């Protein structure tokens, strides 16, 4: 442990010089720890939905090709950072070594999951992902990863199966931020109508539960296919479940209006590009759109709202809100509907 | 005037079907108006700074090549929508014809500027941009453009030179949104420290003036070169002017801290990629970052904040806030410093 380390991981950036690890092209994966670093023996990766989708579609569903590209990316970049989508995912594993000055509250042997993106986490894969078929976001994996002084990780709850806990933590920023935004409306005496686009997915279902708990009035879930309408029908997560293609702004906004909108708060949780205009059109003047999708285009959102003369507040879905992991885990424990949706996906 | 028209301009989208004009690959530039449309005889385009910079750098400063590519884009897409940056700019001209049901309050002969992006405005150029050297964002131009029912445009003030008014209106969303965010802090009894990255530019200088007017405490301007430090020195726009490369997160945040930060509100007004991490690091926990730069990466912002465990609210800089054009114009009239900065650029 002789390395000098920076809490943001700057010392691990190989190129380009001076950028933060998330923006880096390549990271240093040296297993020797800096004083505030932690090394994890990785057991599983959970690829970001937008990233997995892009790889899956690029390779026409060929799992071998998807696996080969993931291995290539990690080997070349020292991290799982999809160069097309810009997104990563997260990992789970066991704490193998803790630097002498590490302050993250972890001990050797702890089962943990990272709460930061794989796009900034030094990662080495040692098993060629032999246990993965390349056909799902959940990747059994042997190897190691490095956490920086400022990298947050959470111990995996002992009362929940690990894959379930991991799936929840992957999206735990969304319900926490949704709850905060809804609570601000409630504090001002407004009972907001909340629309979640992609309401049957992981971040979507948790965001619906969070909105209701934070005091939302009507909740509207938008889903793209009848199968998801049926899935949500008996889960008690939304007042109205409606079918619309989020990429079709006219169809989407019409469906939301029919369901009791426009929304005061619109939460975008789908992993396909091109949903910005429809989300804006579905939101009332003075309302808020929270973009959690990694497929969101900044310019499409900014110029789209301007082009529609829409006075909406648009938030970049920050994946970090203090206490977000515990909050999301409690939502899952409290909501039978959310839990059943999550278990179905595993 | 026999066309059926939609206030968002959907009827002008040639491909792909069903998207809004901003997201479209190609727009229909037929000069015949729908009932709520307006046709403008264009006299000048004002290219978005990020777009012009990209074109200028791609062609190594060759103005002929820049001009040829702008003509190509407009001919192929029916709008000035830079496919790399996703941004456009705006235009000025004279109202040539007003549809019988148009409700935008314009009359034939009015001198106007559009307040929406060129990325959604049908445009035909008829003079091959013969009067433009390809070396500046201000493009003398002959041709016509179409405004939709919901497209906002503003009459050009008669007390200001047209190029000056156009330059102000191009960025008028930034000061209005900055003022709104600062005012929310003030309403809660907080006198926020406001840092504007790119404080010597158009949106930056207006945002500094807006922040002060809205009740900011300390204002910090960050600029990339000594020339801009000197430029701002006698303008009275910021309490502190500091020199830093916004793409270097460590240098930027150190400079902001030295200047009295971290900031409660950070406003990003530079047109280069890679400023997300530094802006987040320069902002206090619980603070707000407003991204106005069209070079902002959504994923870099979202994953960057998460990776730093930064509890910051990140706003997509919506170019529309009610009354934004009048507000910005008044800031210019009231601030000798802003006006001198703008006049210098023309």
């Amino acid at each position: 442990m002789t390395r000098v380390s920076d809490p943001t991981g700057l010392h691990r950036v190989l190129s380009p010089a001076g950028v933060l690890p998330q923006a880096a092209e390549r990271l240093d994966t040296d297993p020797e720890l800096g004083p505030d670093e932690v090394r994890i023996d990785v057991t599983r990766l959970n690829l970001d939905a937008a990233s997995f989708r892009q790889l899956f579609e690029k390779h026409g569903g060929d799992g071998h090709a998807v696996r080969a590209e993931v291995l290539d990316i990690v080997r070349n970049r020292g991290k799982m950072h999809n160069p097309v989508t810009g997104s990563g995912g997260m990992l789970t594993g066991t704490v193998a070594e803790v630097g002498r000055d590490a302050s993250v509250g972890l001990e050797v042997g702890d089962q943990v999951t990272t709460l930061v993106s794989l796009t900034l986490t030094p990662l080495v894969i040692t098993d060629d992902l032999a246990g993965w078929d390349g056909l799902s976001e959940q990747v059994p994996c042997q190897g190691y990863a490095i956490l920086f002084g400022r990298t947050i990780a959470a111990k995996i709850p002992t009362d929940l199966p690990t894959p379930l806990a991991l799936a929840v933590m992957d999206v735990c920023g969304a319900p926490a931020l949704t709850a905060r935004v809804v609570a601000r409306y409630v504090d001002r005496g407004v009972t907001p109508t909340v629309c979640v686009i992609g309401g049957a997915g992981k971040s979507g279902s948790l965001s619906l539960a969070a909105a209701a708990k934070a005091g939302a009035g009507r909740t509207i879930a938008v889903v793209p296919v009848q199968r998801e309408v049926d899935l949500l029908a008996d889960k008690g997560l939304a007042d109205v479940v409606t079918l619309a293609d989020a990429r079709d702004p006219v169809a989407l906004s019409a469906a939301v209006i029919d369901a009791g909108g426009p929304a005061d708060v619109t939460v975008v949780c789908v992993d396909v590009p091109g949903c910005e205009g429809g989300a804006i059109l579905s939101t009332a003047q003075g309302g808020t759109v929270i973009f959690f999708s990694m497929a969101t285009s900044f310019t499409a959102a900014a110029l789209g709202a301007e082009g529609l003369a829409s006075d909406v507040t648009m938030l970049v879905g920050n994946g970090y809100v203090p206490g977000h992991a515990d909050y999301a885990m409690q939502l899952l424990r409290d909501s039978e509907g959310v839990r059943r949706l999550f278990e179905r996906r595993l």
Side-chain angles (χ1 to χ4, degrees), chain A:
Chain A
M1 294 204 286
T2 54
R3 298 168 65 98
V4 173
S5 59
D6 180 277
T8 66
L10 270 170
H11 58 288
R12 293 273 185 177
V13 173
L14 293 178
S15 72
V19 304
L20 290 168
Q22 203 277 324
E25 182 53 36
R26 282 183 62 222
L27 297 180
D28 176 359
T29 57
D30 188 337
E32 191 185 341
L33 297 184
D36 64 352
E37 293 184 327
V38 171
R39 194 174 62 254
I40 307 287
D41 282 340
V42 178
T43 52
R44 183 182 289 264
L45 307 177
N46 195 10
L47 299 185
D48 165 73
S51 172
F52 177 72
R53 185 194 185 95
Q54 185 270 329
L55 292 167
F56 187 82
E57 291 181 352
K58 173 180 173 185
H59 295 294
D62 176 350
H64 294 286
V66 172
R67 183 171 57 197
E69 183 161 355
V70 169
L71 285 167
D72 257 6
I73 291 172
V74 175
R75 203 175 294 120
N76 291 331
R77 306 196 69 170
K79 58 177 179 174
M80 180 51 211
H81 188 164
N82 183 321
V84 176
T85 62
S87 59
M90 35 149 13
L91 62 85
T92 191
T94 307
V95 175
E97 185 183 353
V98 178
R100 65 172 184 276
D101 300 332
S103 57
V104 288
L106 299 178
E107 291 177 20
V108 171
D110 282 347
Q111 303 290 311
V112 298
T113 176
T114 51
L115 296 177
V116 299
S117 172
L118 288 176
T119 61
L120 56 92
T121 305
L123 174 68
V124 170
I125 294 172
T126 55
D127 71 343
D128 285 332
L129 300 180
W132 183 45
D133 60 10
L135 299 177
S136 102
E137 298 164 16
Q138 299 264 344
V139 184
C141 169
Q142 286 176 36
Y144 70 86
I146 308 290
L147 310 187
F148 312 130
R150 210 165 153 168
T151 302
I152 49 173
K155 291 185 203 177
I156 295 173
T158 52
D159 64 329
L160 295 171
T162 298
L164 184 61
L166 187 60
V168 173
M169 291 199 190
D170 181 35
V171 295
C172 66
L177 185 54
T178 298
R180 179 188 278 183
V181 170
V182 168
R184 283 190 190 149
Y185 280 81
V186 173
D187 286 348
R188 297 206 313 267
V190 178
T191 304
T193 294
V194 177
C195 173
V196 177
I197 302 174
K202 291 192 298 182
S203 58
S205 58
L206 280 167
S207 295
L208 281 167
K213 192 171 174 180
R218 180 183 290 263
T219 53
I220 302 167
V222 179
V223 295
V225 290
Q226 184 61 40
R227 189 177 54 76
E228 295 196 359
V229 175
D230 301 340
L231 251 183
L232 275 176
D234 63 345
K235 302 296 189 298
L237 288 174
D239 295 318
V240 188
V241 181
T242 186
L243 192 64
D245 182 341
R247 294 165 300 183
D248 181 335
V250 179
L252 176 64
S253 57
V256 172
I257 305 282
D258 279 352
D264 300 300
V265 179
T266 298
V267 187
V268 181
C269 293
V270 287
D271 60 357
V272 292
C275 304
E276 300 85 359
I280 292 162
L281 267 186
S282 303
T283 307
Q285 293 289 311
T288 303
V289 183
I290 318 176
F291 290 104
F292 285 112
S293 167
M294 286 300 140
T296 303
S297 156
F298 181 88
T299 49
L303 299 179
E306 181 192 271
L308 294 165
S310 278
D311 181 20
V312 291
T313 297
M314 296 185 287
L315 298 180
V316 177
N318 182 349
Y320 176 71
V321 175
H324 57 343
D326 290 345
Y327 178 77
M329 219 55 78
Q330 200 55 45
L331 282 176
L332 181 92
R333 292 191 188 98
D334 292 347
S335 167
E336 180 64 22
V338 171
R339 180 156 183 165
R340 280 164 55 208
L341 278 175
F342 269 74
E343 286 176 340
R344 230 190 134 271
R345 299 172 69 98
L346 297 175

